[in-house]
Amino acid sequence: MIELTEAISLVEAAAAPLPPRRQRLLDACGLELAEPVVSDVDSPPWDRAMMDGFAVRSDDVAAAASHALELEVVVDLAAGDVTTLEIRPGSCARIMTGAPIPAGVDAIVPVECVVDDAGAAHAGSRVRLHDAKFRPGQHVARQGAAFRAGDAVLPAGAVLGAAEIGLAAEAGATHVVARCRPRVALLSTGSELVPPDVRPAFGQTRNSNGPMLMAAVQLLNAEPIPLGIAADRPEAIRAAVAQGLAADVLLLSGGVSAGDLDLVPEILRQCGVEKIFHKVRHKPGKPVWFGVYSRAHSAPTLVFGLPGNPASSLVCFELFVRPALMILAGQPRDAWHLPRTRARLAAPAKAVADRPVYLPCRLEGPMNALVATPLPWTGSSDLRGFAGAGGYIALPAGRTTHEPGSEVDVVLRA
Ligand code: AMP
Ligand code: MG
């Protein structure tokens, strides 16, 4: 058994950022660009009408008394329509938002400025316009006003959110070179386990760790690869482990304690996974196992054997798997772990004498005067206290009861 801080350091030392990869644009959503996105077009790509109305020559409007004038409509242009026609003095084009403005004109008079019946003013008819607020160039977005072909519209380091994805799409980037989403294979071990859609018979337990760990992986922007449930039979576990070792990370739950059917450590050894530690002095989650599967020409697979009890599994995920995934994803050190701060207890909190403990709690008040209230929690098989918790009270080993009003360390849930 090793100390918590040592175990965390060992995980951090074993993990290294995955190399960036060229990938489809949408697959990189939420990831950081490793190379800039360079546009292959101007934006706008041509002078674009930004209002429904009439494309006019400014000099015609300038010549008209108080910006009221009558023009001949020579062409109708909807978005997607183009024309080679040049608009001559005394004429105009009826135009819709999104169409390229034709040669000769330089401004749009909105359809609201038509003096009589706008509906009738199509090609072949005359239109009377009065735009008291007319400015040359109005309602036209000029070619290249936002960016030019060849511009780096997104720098390396930009994180691809919705706006960035849209911009990259406009710039013609169907693929981008971005950080990798770590691929995380997930296996639940236990002959007693049934999928969540099954009502458990006597002696059976729903596989809550599977969906929980899938969610935890997804919330960290990594890619879960569910391997389902393996019964406590060596062949079943071995086959699933062999599959899971192809991923960047393999998470197993169950089978790492001291029972007769806790087969996972021995099977991992047989599969060539080198053990880094087994058992950490903390609660819940003491039986946790960690190892590395090395390969000649690619990054190793990090293997975590999480305890089967759901609360233990979750806490071990937060303590050990989270930093590993953040490191693989290339995140900076200050993002590896959940943030820690101090809070004042609103009610007594019980520690365990021989090891540090995490207790789910409610957190209230401003960050500089946080108040932590322990939530009812019956132990490592109980997820209810963890659901809805604002964080965890982290108590050191050695004392049993922490009185209301005393200051404690708390870990904030993301
Ligand atoms: P183990 O770590 O395999 O000894 O399991 C410890 C406890 O956790 C047992 O009560 C198991 O039934 C339970 N358990 C194991 N795996 C899961 C799982 N995937 N979902 C919910 N409970 C589990
Ligand atoms: Mg088991």
Short mmCIF file of all heavy atoms in Angstrom, two decimals, residues 189-190 192 232 254-255 262, ligand 2:
data_model
loop_
_atom_site.label_atom_id
_atom_site.label_comp_id
_atom_site.label_asym_id
_atom_site.label_seq_id
_atom_site.Cartn_x
_atom_site.Cartn_y
_atom_site.Cartn_z
N THR A 189 -16.08 -5.70 -14.65
CA THR A 189 -15.96 -7.13 -14.35
C THR A 189 -16.86 -7.49 -13.18
O THR A 189 -17.04 -6.70 -12.25
CB THR A 189 -14.51 -7.53 -14.00
OG1 THR A 189 -14.18 -7.00 -12.72
CG2 THR A 189 -13.53 -7.02 -15.04
N GLY A 190 -17.42 -8.70 -13.23
CA GLY A 190 -18.25 -9.19 -12.12
C GLY A 190 -19.34 -10.11 -12.65
O GLY A 190 -20.13 -9.70 -13.49
N GLU A 192 -21.84 -11.02 -11.10
CA GLU A 192 -23.13 -10.60 -10.56
C GLU A 192 -23.77 -9.46 -11.37
O GLU A 192 -24.91 -9.09 -11.13
CB GLU A 192 -22.97 -10.15 -9.09
CG GLU A 192 -22.32 -8.77 -8.86
CD GLU A 192 -20.79 -8.74 -9.02
OE1 GLU A 192 -20.24 -9.59 -9.73
OE2 GLU A 192 -20.16 -7.84 -8.43
N ASP A 232 -16.62 -13.08 -13.93
CA ASP A 232 -15.36 -13.38 -13.23
C ASP A 232 -14.80 -14.72 -13.68
O ASP A 232 -14.69 -15.68 -12.88
CB ASP A 232 -15.60 -13.37 -11.70
CG ASP A 232 -15.91 -11.98 -11.19
OD1 ASP A 232 -15.22 -11.03 -11.58
OD2 ASP A 232 -16.87 -11.83 -10.39
N GLY A 254 -13.91 -3.36 -10.74
CA GLY A 254 -14.15 -4.62 -10.03
C GLY A 254 -12.96 -5.55 -10.12
O GLY A 254 -12.06 -5.39 -10.95
N GLY A 255 -12.96 -6.54 -9.22
CA GLY A 255 -11.97 -7.62 -9.30
C GLY A 255 -10.56 -7.27 -8.91
O GLY A 255 -9.62 -7.98 -9.29
N ASP A 262 -11.09 -12.09 -7.37
CA ASP A 262 -10.49 -10.82 -7.77
C ASP A 262 -9.30 -11.13 -8.68
O ASP A 262 -8.14 -11.18 -8.26
CB ASP A 262 -10.13 -9.97 -6.55
CG ASP A 262 -11.40 -9.43 -5.89
OD1 ASP A 262 -12.34 -9.09 -6.65
OD2 ASP A 262 -11.45 -9.35 -4.66
MG MG B 2 -16.16 -8.51 -8.35
#
